[in-house]
Amino acid sequence: MSAHLASTLTWPKVKALADGGAVALLPVGSTEAHGPHLPLSVDVVIAEEVCRRTAARLSAKGLASVTFPAVAYGLTDFAGPFAGTVSLTAEVTSGLLEGVLADIARHGFKRVLAVNHHLEPAHFRVVKDAAAKAAKATGAHIAAADHRKPPFGERLGEEFMRGGSHAGNYETSLMLAAAPHLVNEAERAKLPTLAVDLPARIKAGAKNFLEAGGPLAYFGAPAEASVAEGERLFAILVDATLAALEP
Ligand SMILES: [Zn+2]
């Protein structure tokens, strides 16, 4: 098996994998409210699962990979009013991510991917900037996979493209496929569809999910989520991650 978790390896093994051309993967998520039916860890669980499935695909192609421990905190202002949400400033998030990515590369990894699944626009901007800075500082191929971009975004569905994907059908389906024991099915079944155009509300000045019309910190249609949809989505997310390995 050539898909490795850094947390389980000794340093000589990491050195040998880096020198042998292994790809390094860094899951990036957040600690934030995701409706009354999903835990705070959703973005981390999804990012780790995308890394696991990406590592399996790389392995099938004969490429080794090392997945590093996830960055579980980020810039999370929109979920700020909801208990348990922990937000860092853009400056701290940027410094943290740039530091981690550059230091992974410093030990010889020539290809390092940030695999971010916390979709707050300001946070995603920081992840991309941090990857670019780390690449410049080290000369390694360091990139942030971006599944919002064509041709991947459109394939993720209408709810995703409308920006109503926070804890809705999109994220709930991914959780049902990756970690069903973390989905509260009784709560999920009760949730009416909340068809809010989140980007439009943000443009109109909403500063958090409450102001945007999401009093329970979810949008979209969690009740419509399914394992099959989650599996379909993960396949696209893995394709988008692999695409980021190309220079
Ligand atoms: Zn999320």
Side-chain angles (χ1 to χ4, degrees):
M1 188 62 176
S2 55
H4 302 273
L5 295 175
S7 59
T8 67
L9 301 174
T10 61
W11 74 262
K13 181 73 182 165
V14 173
K15 178 85 185 122
L17 283 161
D19 290 349
V23 173
L25 301 171
L26 179 68
V28 178
S30 71
T31 297
E32 72 165 352
H34 277 82
H37 62 302
L38 295 173
L40 302 175
S41 62
V42 163
D43 299 341
V44 176
V45 171
I46 293 171
E48 286 180 333
E49 183 68 11
V50 171
C51 287
R52 198 179 67 72
R53 294 177 186 227
T54 300
R57 284 272 295 278
L58 289 170
S59 192
K61 291 197 222 180
L63 272 171
S65 64
V66 178
T67 298
F68 279 77
V71 174
Y73 296 94
L75 172 59
T76 311
D77 290 342
F78 272 82
F82 300 91
T85 299
V86 178
S87 187
L88 304 175
T89 63
E91 195 185 7
V92 169
T93 307
S94 178
L96 171 66
L97 290 170
E98 185 189 343
V100 172
L101 291 166
D103 223 34
I104 291 171
R106 187 169 66 81
H107 293 294
F109 288 97
K110 302 229 163 13
R111 292 190 288 177
V112 184
L113 292 187
V115 181
N116 173 52
H117 285 275
H118 170 43
L119 299 181
E120 190 160 327
H123 174 85
F124 219 137
R125 259 196 308 279
V126 167
V127 177
K128 295 187 98 164
D129 286 355
K133 283 187 201 158
K136 202 166 170 208
T138 61
H141 175 80
I142 302 177
D146 191 348
H147 53 284
R148 304 167 306 174
K149 287 197 311 198
F152 307 108
E154 302 89 275
R155 291 169 57 199
L156 294 171
E158 203 216 327
E159 185 198 77
F160 181 85
M161 291 306 283
R162 268 205 326 265
S165 59
H166 185 82
N169 187 348
Y170 170 81
E171 280 188 323
T172 306
S173 292
L174 290 169
M175 289 300 286
L176 285 173
H181 60 287
L182 295 178
V183 181
N184 184 323
E185 285 291 60
E187 285 290 340
R188 177 170 88 89
K190 289 192 293 199
L191 297 175
T193 297
L194 212 52
V196 168
D197 187 337
L198 203 48
R201 297 282 177 104
I202 292 168
K203 242 183 214 161
K207 299 246 172 338
N208 57 53
F209 289 147
L210 278 181
E211 291 180 9
L216 296 177
Y218 83 91
F219 296 89
E224 290 171 16
S226 70
V227 176
E229 174 66 357
E231 291 294 334
R232 187 188 78 80
L233 294 169
F234 270 123
I236 299 163
L237 297 178
V238 170
D239 285 346
T241 307
L242 290 169
L245 279 176
E246 307 303 327

